[in-house]
Amino acid sequence: RANRRSTLPSTTVSGCSKAMARRHWDACFNIAKHHFYGTAGLAKDTGEAFALWREGCEHKHRLSCNAAGVHAHQNLRDARLALTFFEKACALGAKGACANAALTYLKGAPGVPANPILARELYLKACKAGDQASCRRARNLGAQDEPMK
C-alpha cells in the first residue's frame, strides 16, 4: 500500500502532468473537480481546476476538454475559448461536448456567429454517439425550411 500512494497524482498541474504521462488522466480530472468545488480537503481554486483541465485536454483527455470548455463558457464568459475546448473534446468522442459546441453555434455568442447548419451537424454527431436529446435537436433543426436568424 505504501507504493500505491507514490503512484497517485499530485494535486498540482505539474504533478498531474507527470501522472498523465502514466495515464492517470481520470485522477487528474477528478482532482480538478475537487479544486473547483473545494472538496476532498482541497481549497476551492477554480483557476487551478481550469489549469488542470487544460493540461488534461492537451493530453487528449476528452472529459478534461469538455470541463475546460464549460468553465471557459460559464465562468470566464469566453465563448470562443469554450468552443475550442468543446470541439477538441467532440473530436475525441465526448458526445456532451459535441452538444455543447452545437448549442454554442446554434445560439451564437460574442466572437462566435450563429451557424445552425454546423450546429445540426454537431448535434448529429452527438446523436450518433448515443445522445438522444441531440437526436431530437438535430431533427428539429432539420425540419426548418430556412436557417435560423
Side-chain angles (χ1 to χ4, degrees):
R1 288 192 181 238
N3 252 353
R4 182 174 173 216
R5 184 175 194 158
S6 66
T7 64
L8 293 176
S10 167
T11 61
T12 65
V13 173
S14 62
C16 272
S17 183
K18 292 173 189 170
M20 285 180 192
R22 294 189 309 265
R23 308 228 185 266
H24 288 174
W25 301 308
D26 289 336
C28 288
F29 171 78
N30 288 327
I31 288 169
K33 283 196 314 187
H34 290 305
H35 274 297
F36 187 81
Y37 294 108
T39 56
L42 296 177
K44 182 173 180 158
D45 186 343
T46 59
E48 183 71 11
F50 183 58
L52 289 167
W53 285 324
R54 261 194 346 251
E55 180 75 14
C57 187
E58 288 173 15
H59 285 83
K60 299 181 181 178
H61 185 254
R62 63 186 181 191
L63 297 177
S64 293
C65 293
N66 190 53
V70 170
H71 180 74
H73 194 273
Q74 293 179 349
N75 299 87
L76 303 179
R77 306 280 188 234
D78 188 335
R80 287 182 78 122
L81 179 61
L83 196 53
T84 301
F85 289 117
F86 291 150
E87 288 178 330
K88 184 170 184 178
C90 180
L92 293 169
K95 62 186 174 189
C98 297
N100 287 338
L103 182 61
T104 304
Y105 279 119
L106 183 62
K107 291 185 172 187
V112 179
N115 186 337
I117 294 168
L118 185 53
R120 184 171 187 272
E121 289 173 14
L122 288 161
Y123 278 134
L124 285 171
K125 188 170 184 175
C127 175
K128 287 177 185 172
D131 184 8
Q132 293 305 308
S134 290
C135 296
R136 287 188 299 279
R137 291 180 182 119
R139 275 193 304 275
N140 290 340
L141 286 173
Q144 298 178 0
D145 294 329
E146 296 181 24
M148 295 181 353
K149 298 183 185 209

